[in-house]
Amino acid sequence: MDDHRLTLTQHLLREVEEHTPGGGAVASILAQIATACKEIRAELAEVGLGSLAGMKGGVNVQGEAVHKLDWYANEVFVKHFRGSGLLCTLISEEMEEIYHLDDDCPRAAHTLCYDPMDGSSNLDVDGAVGTIFSVRRKSDGPTHGQPEEVFEPGTEQVAAGYVLYGPQCMLVYGVGGNVHGFTLDTAVGEFFLSHPNIRMPDYGQEYSANLSRLGAWDPAFREFVRRHSHGGGADRTYSLRYIGALVADFHRVLLRGGVFLYPGDAGNPNGKLRLLYEAAPLAFLAEAAGGAASDGRERILELVPDGLHVRTPLIIGSRYEVSTIDGLLAGTPGSEPAFTASKGAAP
Ligand code: AFP
């Protein structure tokens, strides 16, 4: 019996170094992220009993209430990268400004955009939360050191991923067009490869959205939900699944297919989710796994941010569902059958 289990470190050395320009540095960054996330997970396991339960007070740059663990997780990332020589710049949901690691910049060639604690309102109910990360090359041009350094499309990302703190702690990363998943063995304290070469199904049976906002959406989204609910007339009906933590909702879509959507509405034309450290990294993974991500008009990966914390509508998931919604938004619902899923006729 072959009982060899591939560790994340072994995998990074093999995959990232081989398939990514600057691979050694990128592999080290991903390994350091894994270490930071293991520390965060350990704290999460204690949170109900410890001093980090509850709100910190105040709001972040998004105007959202800050949980103590939002702040803690951000500090863990800063601590793990300061002095590492791996990153020049950090851009976080929890920091209004770009954060420079000046002493590291001469050696470091990369920038990290991250959401250290995604879905933190789930913490009070023992629900799933996550961390999202995106690695880009630092700019050596005139924008170096300025926020404009990351005002580049998501196609410029060299690696992206997330950690899901659920019943299992999972790390999923993508580089060079491949996506792999690892599960933390808490007894050993190491991530082991559990989901090699993840492929998103061409279509699924579930959709994920905050339906309380349905009345304010573009009618095209309402039409998708109406048609694909029971009795709606479409051949396919979907079940609704919504956790309220993007990482957890996306993870289900990545493995099972279907679609997650967070549209804009009249009051919030760009929706809620942030481009640099939420939508773009997950779009990078979705496309690498054979899925798609759009804002309803363009690929998420082609959007160019004009601020560190800009938001974007997000439709992400299997190609069939994303193209169906894009077709409804474009007023060409007849375009749906044009997409033929490779696993058989699109239903
Ligand atoms: P919190 O971090 O405030 O819980 O927000 C989570 C989040 O940014 C993302 O993870 C969810 O997909 C989305 O917001 C949920 O938003 P709604 O509460 O509007 O459904």
Side-chain angles (χ1 to χ4, degrees), residues 117-121 210 242 244-246 260 262 272-274 278:
M117 187 52 62
D118 168 65
S120 53
S121 57
N210 182 344
Y242 193 63
L246 180 59
F260 171 93
Y262 206 113
K272 177 179 181 186
L273 303 172
R274 279 54 60 116
E278 291 184 313

Side-chain angles (χ1 to χ4, degrees), residues 33-68:
I33 288 170
T35 304
C37 290
K38 281 191 268 187
E39 185 169 332
I40 292 168
R41 193 214 68 87
E43 192 60 44
L44 282 170
E46 303 292 329
V47 70
L49 305 169
S51 59
L52 287 174
M55 307 308 289
K56 185 171 186 295
V59 294
N60 65 12
V61 283
Q62 328 293 336
E64 296 160 351
V66 178
H67 200 285
K68 285 181 192 167

